[in-house]
Amino acid sequence: MNNFNFYAPTKIVFGKDTEQKVGELVKAQKANKVLIHYGGASAVKSGLLERVVNSLKEAGIEYVLLGGVIPNPRLSLVYEGIELCRKEKVDFILAVGGGSVIDSAKGIAWGVPFDGDVWELYEKKQEASDALPLGCILTIAAAGSEMSGGSVLTKDEGGLKRDYCNDNIRSKFSIMNPELTLTLPPYQTAAGCVDILMHTLERYFVSGSTLETTKSIAEAIMRTVITNTKILHHDPMNYDARAEIMWCSSLSHNDLTGCGNLSNDFASHMLEHEISGLFDVTHGAGLAVVWPSWARYVYQDCLDTFVRFAIEVMGIENTGDKETMALQGIDALEAFFTSIDMPVTMTQMNLEVSEKQVRYMANSCSQAAGGNCIGSAKSLDLEDMYQILKDAV
Ligand code: NZQ
Ligand code: ZN
């Protein structure tokens, strides 16, 4: 195993009605004025926003509102948020929503004290030395942004989607009430579950020595996600299944499932960011499209782990034939995606992707990596990226 740091400073407040505690949690952060950042409609329609506002009022905390975050959150709204926070002397940001809202809130939190264009962080040209403190109320189990140090934004023109990571942004607290996710459309529930699985898979299929504890935790999380996603597919109002999925969302992306790894893979994520940047599709659905193509391309370079995954996670019988078992494991996960109505090709997402667009996405992905290879299970160069995307069409 390799040396590692594990840093997960976020206080988790989990369970029914926990959003009622937001006033006292913000007060404990000694905040004077809060930006409440939220999305399109769901938080207003469900009454959540009103409950949040009332809780802040009861705690005597001033606030300003900025809604309108859309999936694959845009840089332009982050600029607007930065201006608003400076003008209103906001000293705490409260994200009420999913990964898109939280990521937009993180962009604002870095941008307010930053002397320059916040996009330079996402271009990896600068580092953020400071950030406004952030708190979250999570409404969809998916991105794991409620405990992660990352944010992903999309530049409005050109659809360039880029991430930036810095531990200084990790949320001070995250309120996680599984009941808030009961209003999710089935497609978003399923896409979220794929994203959760993928955050663990990206840390599972890696080269070099790993920690048995980490591998076993990862397998438990993946089995739990698959079992409870199946339950939600037929019984979306099942609170216990919602709770299991929600907690897995955080554990899969707070780095717990990467402890002891030399490096994580995240090639599927990088390739997917090109698809959702260019075509504005749902991130989790894009991952369901990329992963089978990626897995069939790389499995021979990471064969023992693919065999272990097949047996321990997908329940494939151990016949001793490694090649066959590895492929059966990949087939089984792909079939699981299909069973929860996720697409497994770009065509199934109703995208007509031209050869030129595949080439554009591969080039853009390579540029995002600074011209370097991506991945850990197998190191992928530009032509590999192109081939995986092409196989996913
Ligand atoms: O805007 P509203 O009306 O809230 O609608 C949202 C949105 O349309 C809706 N929704 C959310 N909670 C709901 C709800 N609808 C009904 N009831 C609720 N309780 O769901 C839709 C999707 O929301 P979004 O926030 O976009 O979903 P998700 O959490 O999957 O976030 C996706 C974004 O996170 C990024 C992705 O790339 C994508 O941009 N990621 C961020 C990561 C991070 N910061 O660590 C890591 C991930 O790998 C990922 O890349
Ligand atoms: Zn993801």
Side-chain angles (χ1 to χ4, degrees), residues 103 106-107 110 118-129 131 145 147-153 162-170 203 253 255 264 266 269-270 273:
D103 285 4
K106 287 176 174 177
W110 277 317
V118 72
W119 185 246
E120 289 182 4
L121 304 175
Y122 294 79
E123 287 180 311
K124 320 283 187 297
K125 288 182 182 163
Q126 300 270 358
E127 287 293 340
S129 54
S145 190
M147 273 188 101
S148 83
S151 157
V152 191
L153 293 181
R162 294 290 178 261
D163 72 311
Y164 177 61
C165 298
N166 191 320
D167 275 339
N168 67 10
I169 203 68
R170 294 203 189 234
R203 296 169 166 94
H253 205 38
D255 295 336
N264 298 322
F266 279 92
H269 262 75
M270 289 192 70
H273 284 169

Side-chain angles (χ1 to χ4, degrees), residues 50-129:
E50 195 182 350
R51 296 203 294 284
V52 169
V53 164
N54 287 340
S55 180
L56 290 184
K57 278 183 186 163
E58 275 167 29
I61 293 162
E62 282 188 62
Y63 63 89
V64 285
L65 294 161
L66 181 64
V69 179
I70 55 173
N72 301 318
R74 305 300 198 269
L75 180 62
S76 54
L77 191 67
V78 169
Y79 287 148
E80 202 181 308
I82 292 168
E83 287 307 311
L84 181 65
C85 287
R86 286 176 180 160
K87 185 168 143 253
E88 295 285 341
K89 303 206 173 357
V90 163
D91 58 3
F92 190 89
I93 307 208
L94 180 65
V96 182
S100 294
V101 172
I102 300 171
D103 285 4
S104 182
K106 287 176 174 177
I108 296 169
W110 277 317
V112 173
F114 186 66
D115 186 15
D117 180 353
V118 72
W119 185 246
E120 289 182 4
L121 304 175
Y122 294 79
E123 287 180 311
K124 320 283 187 297
K125 288 182 182 163
Q126 300 270 358
E127 287 293 340
S129 54

Side-chain angles (χ1 to χ4, degrees), residues 124-346:
K124 320 283 187 297
K125 288 182 182 163
Q126 300 270 358
E127 287 293 340
S129 54
D130 206 359
L132 286 189
L134 168 82
C136 302
I137 301 179
L138 188 65
T139 64
I140 169 172
S145 190
E146 69 277 5
M147 273 188 101
S148 83
S151 157
V152 191
L153 293 181
T154 299
K155 210 173 181 183
D156 300 58
E157 297 87 36
L160 205 60
K161 187 171 179 177
R162 294 290 178 261
D163 72 311
Y164 177 61
C165 298
N166 191 320
D167 275 339
N168 67 10
I169 203 68
R170 294 203 189 234
S171 193
K172 300 293 175 199
F173 62 80
S174 285
I175 294 175
M176 296 168 60
N177 175 0
E179 283 181 317
L180 299 179
T181 66
L182 293 173
T183 50
L184 277 167
Y187 190 80
Q188 290 298 336
T189 298
C193 291
V194 174
D195 195 17
I196 296 166
L197 269 181
M198 284 299 307
H199 292 152
T200 298
L201 289 168
E202 299 276 26
R203 296 169 166 94
Y204 186 81
F205 292 112
V206 293
S207 63
S209 66
T210 53
L211 201 55
E212 177 55 34
T213 313
T214 297
K215 277 258 175 308
S216 299
I217 291 171
E219 286 158 359
I221 288 175
M222 289 191 279
R223 285 192 298 264
T224 305
V225 173
I226 290 171
T227 301
N228 288 283
T229 304
K230 287 178 183 167
I231 293 172
L232 290 179
H233 189 61
H234 298 290
D235 180 14
M237 301 307 279
N238 188 311
Y239 176 84
D240 290 337
R242 291 277 177 194
E244 297 282 1
I245 293 285
M246 200 172 212
W247 188 218
C248 284
S249 117
S250 302
L251 295 185
S252 70
H253 205 38
N254 71 355
D255 295 336
L256 178 68
T257 58
C259 294
N261 289 353
L262 188 59
S263 63
N264 298 322
D265 193 274
F266 279 92
S268 298
H269 262 75
M270 289 192 70
L271 292 166
E272 193 290 324
H273 284 169
E274 298 306 325
I275 301 174
S276 51
L278 191 59
F279 297 108
D280 203 17
V281 296
T282 301
H283 169 64
L287 289 171
V289 164
V290 171
W291 190 82
S293 163
W294 170 87
R296 292 191 179 101
Y297 196 83
V298 309
Y299 76 94
Q300 279 160 332
D301 287 61
C302 196
L303 189 60
D304 286 343
T305 310
F306 272 91
V307 170
R308 178 173 171 156
F309 168 76
I311 295 168
E312 299 297 334
V313 180
M314 301 315 299
I316 301 297
E317 188 191 345
N318 187 349
T319 58
D321 178 351
K322 287 187 179 185
E323 172 94 10
T324 303
M325 287 188 287
L327 287 170
Q328 284 175 335
I330 296 168
D331 290 347
L333 188 59
E334 186 182 47
F336 166 71
F337 291 158
T338 302
S339 77
I340 56 166
D341 299 330
M342 282 287 105
V344 291
T345 62
M346 291 187 225

